């Protein structure tokens, strides 16, 4: 019999029962909650007179709606000016109080984007099943966990039963061999994978990322990679546990310690695919072939190396692709054949659950140190992923580097990734963004998003247009 | 949940690939703490010429005349014909809520994003996957004939066209069963409460570090 994949093992470990109809009941270890996708779930519990199955499996934190300006943030929940947003954050507070669920409140130092907070607090651990009403829950797979986004009905289902009704996914291995060129990051790997397999390439699969490049990534890099599994169509992406994982987890608030740590570590040693495991699909890329990536269109698969040129839809054979490219070029205000480095930027956003961790901020600060953002830029926002990331960055003086360069240093939250708060693009504005989606209107109605790594976003802020980060030794023009 | 058995209804087109959840229901409407009332904001950015705000009365807003749902021939549509990877993007259940609130009960496409597909079944909407070439033909027929209707039978797993073609589709047994009966998933799962408790006891013993962490300590 063939060996098991990491996904097979995590599935097996959490299998409560298999049903005749092919579905299965899967036990959920950790449920993360935020303000946008939970109010209707709590209301559902109330209406049915149900209580949460297991309180200590849940952790809540507001992130999507919270303002990031220091002034507005100072007033806490009551200080949120947008009354609809305020009600939603207040509703999370109220629900957590009523149902006795632990919440990290808005101005707690541990508050932040739920997918930054979970691993940072040790609330997500190797070997867990982790769910949250947010598609970027795939992030937590970086720890060797089975982690994926769910809708609000399933949020209610997990609260009430500690389980989900699931159908087993197929297994896909994405192996990135070799090593990365200097200046090329986990974000570029994620975008290159999506460019290679397409935004629906992972539909129906659980992805495991492996290979020398993945093994050599830090935990934060691995989180960036797994985060964007959903942009490749896969609900979940995961990476086997190794020493890098253990070193990251040890000592965190909710991580086990002492004898429990030893027992956990022994159990986690099995969290890898067996050598003879069989995958339904295998995709391989060479690290050396991956250049810094920039998206030009309105789907993350519309991505090119920074050295590329905007494609000509007329040259595309597939009619659906051709019309999508035409529409994207029009929406993005580009012309076929235009060099990516000629795209002029209006705003830069460094943040989001993809790229707002301390290493991301260090990479961006290294680029802007001693430089100033282009005079043509309207705004460059740096939004740390959590209060702890912010504190760490300030301890290292990174905020001063950003401020000296003419960038704004904000309070933690989802911010301009999806523009549910006041941080948004104006119509027609081009933004170099370290977030994960370049959909039409995502960052503001009519806004034009280009997805890049933190270093590429920082370099673009200085130059006012995209530049190849690998040429950065030379002065930016 | 509403059950879905058979539907005979007017078809409207959404003729583009990768229709994402931000298009289906833009982010400003996710601030609602309710489950209903999203229909007027379905496809808001494509449907209206101005910028929509939550809580706004949409009846007086300027409509985009080029958008199919604003054209008289598609009024009252209950079936949406779409392209590849429909519903990609976020996990927001507001997307199927908006489609359902507008009146759609069935979406036909060559492929759907996983989370959206799953969310449809939780809200009485049947997502039907048909081959891309078949969907192409349906688009051609739909554009050619005003008042184009399709009949969908979930029990038989068929879509019947006006000229009598019967197109078979696949759907997994568990989802089909729940949708046919309109079952409350939570109620069904709680019938397995003893099995869940048994699993939990064993799992707690085997992996004690996964339990009793949140709520303990400094939070």
């Amino acid at each position: 019999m063939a060996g098991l994949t990491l996904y097979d093992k995590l599935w097996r470990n959490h299998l409560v029962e298999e049903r005749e109809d092919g579905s299965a009941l899967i036990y959920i270890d950790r449920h993360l909650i935020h303000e946008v996708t939970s109010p209707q779930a709590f209301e559902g519990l109330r209406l049915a007179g149900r209580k949460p199955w297991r309180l200590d499996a849940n952790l809540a934190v507001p992130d999507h709606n919270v303002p990031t300006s220091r002034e507005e943030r100072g007033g806490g929940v009551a200080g949120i000016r947008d009354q609809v947003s305020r009600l939603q954050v207040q509703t999370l507070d109220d629900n957590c109080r009523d149902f006795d669920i632990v919440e990290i409140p808005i101005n707690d130092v541990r508050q932040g984007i739920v997918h930054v907070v979970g691993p940072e607090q040790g609330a997500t651990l190797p070997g867990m099943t982790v769910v949250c009403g947010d598609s970027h829950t795939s992030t937590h797979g970086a720890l060797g966990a089975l982690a994926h986004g769910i809708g609000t009905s399933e949020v209610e289902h997990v609260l009430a039963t500690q389980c989900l009704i699931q159908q087993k996914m197929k297994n896909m291995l994405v192996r990135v061999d070799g090593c990365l060129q200097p200046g090329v990051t986990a974000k570029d790997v994620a975008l290159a994978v999506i460019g290679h397999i397409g935004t629906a390439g992972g539909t129906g699969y659980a992805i495991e990322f492996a290979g020398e490049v993945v093994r050599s990534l830090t935990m934060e890099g691995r989180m960036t990679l797994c985060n964007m599994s959903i942009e490749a169509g896969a609900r979940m992406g995961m990476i086997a546990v190794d020493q890098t994982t253990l070193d990251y987890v040890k000592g965190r608030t909710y991580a086990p310690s002492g004898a429990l740590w030893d027992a956990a570590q022994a159990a986690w040693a099995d969290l890898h695919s067996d050598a003879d495991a069989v995958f339904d699909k295998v995709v391989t890329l060479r690290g050396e072939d991956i250049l810094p990536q920039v998206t030009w269109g309105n789907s993350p698969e519309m991505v090119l190396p920074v050295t590329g040129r905007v494609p000509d839809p007329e040259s595309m054979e597939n009619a659906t692709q051709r019309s999508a490219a035409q529409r994207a070029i029009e929406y993005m205000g580009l012309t076929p054949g235009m060099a990516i480095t000629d795209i002029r930027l209006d705003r830069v956003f460094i943040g989001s659950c993809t790229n707002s961790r301390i290493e991301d901020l260090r990479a961006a600060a290294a680029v802007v140190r001693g430089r100033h953002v282009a005079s043509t830029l309207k705004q460059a926002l740096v939004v740390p992923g959590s209060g702890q990331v912010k504190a760490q960055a300030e301890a290292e003086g990174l905020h001063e580097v950003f401020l000296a360069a003419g960038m704004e240093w904000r309070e933690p939250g989802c911010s301009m990734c999806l523009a549910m708060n006041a941080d948004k693009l104006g119509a027609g504005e081009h933004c170099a963004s370290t977030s994960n989606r370049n959909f039409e209107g995502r960052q503001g109605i009519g806004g034009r998003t280009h997805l890049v790594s933190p270093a590429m976003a920082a370099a673009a802020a200085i130059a006012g247009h995209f530049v190849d980060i690998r040429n950065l030794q030379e002065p930016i023009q | 949940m509403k059950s879905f058995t058979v539907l005979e209804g007017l078809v409207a087109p959404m003729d583009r690939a990768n229709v994402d959840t931000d298009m289906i229901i833009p982010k400003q409407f996710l601030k609602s703490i309710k489950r209903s009332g999203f229909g007027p904001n379905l496809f808001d950015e494509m449907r209206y010429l101005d910028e929509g705000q939550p809580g706004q009365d949409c009846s007086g807003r300027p409509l985009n005349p080029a958008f199919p749902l604003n054209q008289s021939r598609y009024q009252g549509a209950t079936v949406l014909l779409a392209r590849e990877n429909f519903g990609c993007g976020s996990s927001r259940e507001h997307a199927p809520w908006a489609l359902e609130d507008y009146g759609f009960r069935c979406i036909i496409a060559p492929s759907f994003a996983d989370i959206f597909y799953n969310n449809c079944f939780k809200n009485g909407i049947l997502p039907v996957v048909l081959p891309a070439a078949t969907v192409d033909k349906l688009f051609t027929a739909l554009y050619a004939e005003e008042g184009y209707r399709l009949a969908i039978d979930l029990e038989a797993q068929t879509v019947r066209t006006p000229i009598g073609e019967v197109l078979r589709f696949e759907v997994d047994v568990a989802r089909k069963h729940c949708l046919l009966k309109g079952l409350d998933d939570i109620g069904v799962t709680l019938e397995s409460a003893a099995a869940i408790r048994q699993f939990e006891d064993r799992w707690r013993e085997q992996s004690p570090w996964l339990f009793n962490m949140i709520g303990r300590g400094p939070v």
Side-chain angles (χ1 to χ4, degrees):
Chain A
M1 201 180 97
L4 299 178
T5 66
L6 172 58
Y7 170 63
D8 293 337
K9 291 179 184 180
L10 291 166
W11 173 272
R12 176 200 62 191
N13 290 352
H14 292 86
L15 187 61
V16 175
E17 64 179 27
E18 279 176 296
R19 295 176 169 172
E20 284 177 9
D21 59 18
S23 67
L25 211 53
I26 295 294
Y27 188 82
I28 303 302
D29 295 313
R30 179 67 67 239
H31 181 212
L32 301 169
I33 300 167
H34 65 87
E35 78 277 21
V36 178
T37 54
S38 65
Q40 299 87 351
F42 284 113
E43 189 59 20
L45 289 185
R46 263 191 207 98
L47 290 172
R50 291 173 175 139
K51 287 196 174 339
W53 178 281
R54 204 189 114 203
L55 289 174
D56 68 5
N58 301 285
L59 181 65
V61 62
D63 57 4
H64 283 61
N65 273 285
V66 299
T68 61
S69 77
R70 177 169 291 196
E71 181 218 352
E72 190 174 348
R73 193 63 171 267
V77 178
I80 301 176
R81 290 195 193 113
D82 178 333
Q83 58 174 358
V84 193
S85 290
R86 185 171 66 235
L87 176 63
Q88 200 168 52
V89 177
Q90 183 62 52
T91 301
L92 180 68
D93 285 1
D94 295 347
N95 282 328
C96 289
R97 190 195 57 232
D98 292 353
F99 286 93
D100 207 17
I101 282 170
V102 173
E103 183 197 9
I104 299 176
I106 184 167
N107 282 346
D108 190 295
V109 71
R110 296 158 305 161
Q111 181 273 343
I113 306 171
V114 64
H115 308 309
V116 175
V117 170
E120 189 173 78
Q121 295 301 321
T124 48
L125 293 172
M128 273 184 168
T129 41
V130 181
V131 297
C132 173
D134 188 282
S135 60
H136 290 108
T137 308
S138 56
T139 309
H140 308 264
L143 290 107
L146 197 169
H148 60 88
I150 54 177
T152 298
S153 293
E154 290 186 322
V155 169
E156 184 180 339
H157 195 280
V158 172
L159 281 167
T161 71
Q162 212 53 49
C163 289
L164 280 178
I165 303 165
Q166 299 266 277
Q167 277 80 17
K168 193 153 187 262
M169 315 295 276
K170 289 180 284 185
N171 281 288
M172 182 190 291
L173 179 69
V174 174
R175 206 178 67 222
V176 191
D177 298 321
C179 60
L180 297 177
Q181 297 184 35
V184 177
T185 69
K187 180 63 164 289
D188 302 299
V189 176
L191 288 169
V193 169
I194 295 161
H196 188 72
I197 70 173
T199 48
T203 303
Y205 291 93
I207 294 181
E208 179 177 344
F209 294 102
E212 281 171 87
V213 163
V214 175
R215 291 261 68 85
S216 63
L217 289 176
T218 63
M219 278 313 291
E220 296 193 359
R222 293 177 188 187
M223 288 182 217
T224 300
L225 182 56
C226 290
N227 173 276
M228 291 193 72
S229 305
I230 186 68
E231 275 68 48
R235 294 176 75 172
M236 54 193 98
M238 60 197 77
I239 295 174
V241 172
D242 62 8
Q243 194 59 42
T244 304
T245 325
L246 299 177
D247 292 344
Y248 176 89
V249 171
K250 196 167 190 180
R252 294 190 182 267
T253 305
Y254 295 117
S257 57
L260 267 189
W261 171 263
D262 296 338
Q265 198 179 341
W268 295 342
D270 188 45
L271 295 177
H272 57 81
S273 290
D274 293 333
D276 57 345
V278 176
F279 288 85
D280 301 288
K281 193 171 175 182
V282 177
V283 174
T284 54
L285 280 81
R286 282 211 62 80
E288 290 82 355
D289 297 340
I290 300 173
L291 304 185
Q293 305 281 306
V294 181
T295 66
W296 57 269
N298 299 114
S299 167
E301 71 186 14
M302 293 174 167
V303 63
L304 283 169
V306 64
T307 52
R309 288 177 179 277
V310 175
D312 182 357
E314 294 304 322
S315 69
M316 296 179 179
E317 283 175 22
N318 178 306
T320 308
Q321 272 184 355
R322 188 165 56 238
S323 76
Q326 274 162 346
R327 200 190 300 264
I329 284 173
E330 188 180 330
Y331 179 87
M332 295 296 288
L334 303 172
T335 47
M338 179 181 184
I340 293 291
T341 48
D342 285 340
I343 298 172
R344 300 266 151 194
L345 298 160
D346 300 288
R347 294 180 201 265
V348 168
F349 170 60
I350 297 172
S352 86
C353 59
T354 313
N355 282 126
S356 64
R357 298 177 182 83
I358 190 66
E359 291 170 15
D360 299 317
L361 302 188
R362 285 178 190 144
V367 172
V368 303
R369 190 181 297 274
R371 295 183 167 119
H372 200 277
V373 300
S375 59
T376 50
L377 213 66
K378 292 177 187 163
Q379 184 182 42
L381 270 185
V382 186
V383 186
S386 73
Q388 290 197 354
V389 170
K390 180 168 184 266
Q392 177 67 29
E394 290 180 350
E396 296 177 21
L398 303 185
H399 64 309
E400 284 162 2
V401 175
F402 293 126
L403 290 168
M407 298 172 129
E408 297 176 31
W409 179 241
R410 295 295 191 94
E411 300 298 312
C414 297
S415 183
M416 203 190 272
C417 173
L418 84 168
M420 275 189 78
N421 68 353
D423 311 333
K424 51 186 80 165
L425 298 182
E429 290 180 347
H430 286 270
C431 179
S433 178
T434 67
S435 55
N436 40 52
R437 290 192 176 133
N438 51 357
F439 298 158
E440 289 180 16
R442 169 84 177 181
Q443 293 191 291
I445 292 177
R448 295 163 169 170
T449 304
H450 301 276
L451 304 175
V452 288
S453 73
M456 283 287 288
I462 302 300
H465 57 86
F466 288 113
V467 290
D468 188 339
I469 190 74
R470 296 172 304 160
N471 302 335
L472 209 68
Q473 290 82 345
E474 300 156 33
I476 296 178
Q477 291 173 357
Chain B
M1 188 185 78
K2 278 187 196 168
S3 66
F4 185 110
T5 50
V6 290
L7 172 71
E8 198 275 324
L10 186 70
V11 188
M14 176 47 68
D15 197 353
R16 61 191 286 183
N18 296 316
V19 168
D20 59 67
T21 52
D22 281 79
M23 285 183 205
I24 298 172
I25 183 82
K27 67 263 167 196
Q28 64 268 37
F29 305 109
L30 310 189
K31 296 177 187 180
S32 168
I33 57 171
K34 296 184 192 151
R35 199 183 267 264
S36 57
F38 294 100
N41 300 111
L42 175 70
F43 300 121
D44 198 275
E45 287 177 22
M46 290 186 262
R47 192 166 150 194
Y48 301 99
L49 296 171
D50 64 345
E51 183 174 339
Q53 296 304 329
Q56 178 186 16
D57 175 9
C58 294
S59 58
R61 293 176 61 195
L63 297 172
N64 172 8
F67 190 65
L69 296 190
N70 292 332
Q71 295 163 7
S72 59
R73 63 182 284 190
Y74 299 122
Q75 296 312 302
T78 51
V79 180
L80 188 67
L81 186 63
R83 296 285 186 185
E84 289 85 356
N85 202 26
F86 188 86
C88 62
S90 86
S91 65
R92 61 186 70 158
E93 202 157 313
H94 312 67
W97 292 341
L99 286 158
E100 200 271 342
D101 196 55
Y102 181 89
F104 288 116
R105 295 297 310 281
C106 176
I107 305 163
I108 300 174
S111 59
F112 292 89
D114 280 338
I115 302 180
F116 175 83
Y117 183 79
N118 194 43
N119 281 341
C120 282
F121 285 96
K122 312 285 183 194
N123 292 282
I125 298 176
L126 174 64
V128 169
V129 177
L130 290 175
T134 307
V135 171
D136 249 346
K137 283 184 194 160
L138 292 178
F139 267 105
T140 307
L142 162 64
Y143 288 136
E145 182 188 335
E146 199 163 327
Y148 187 79
R149 300 172 80 87
L150 289 170
I152 297 97
D153 183 333
L154 175 55
E155 179 61 52
Q157 295 181 213
T158 57
V159 176
R160 184 182 294 269
T161 70
I163 56 168
E165 288 170 289
V166 176
L167 312 166
R168 210 182 139 69
F169 62 89
E170 295 302 319
V171 57
D172 72 63
V173 182
R175 288 183 172 122
K176 176 180 173 177
H177 176 71
C178 280
L179 193 52
L180 278 173
K181 306 270 182 196
L183 292 179
D184 165 22
D185 275 351
I186 296 177
V188 175
T189 298
L190 286 174
E191 288 173 14
S192 299
I196 300 171
R197 214 156 266 131
Q198 198 178 5
F199 173 91
E200 195 169 55
D201 290 343
R202 183 176 62 73
W203 191 228
R204 189 192 302 267
E205 200 169 314
Q206 202 179 321
S207 312
W209 57 87
L210 296 178
F211 290 79
N212 297 322
M213 295 183 305
I214 305 295
R216 192 190 65 183
V219 172

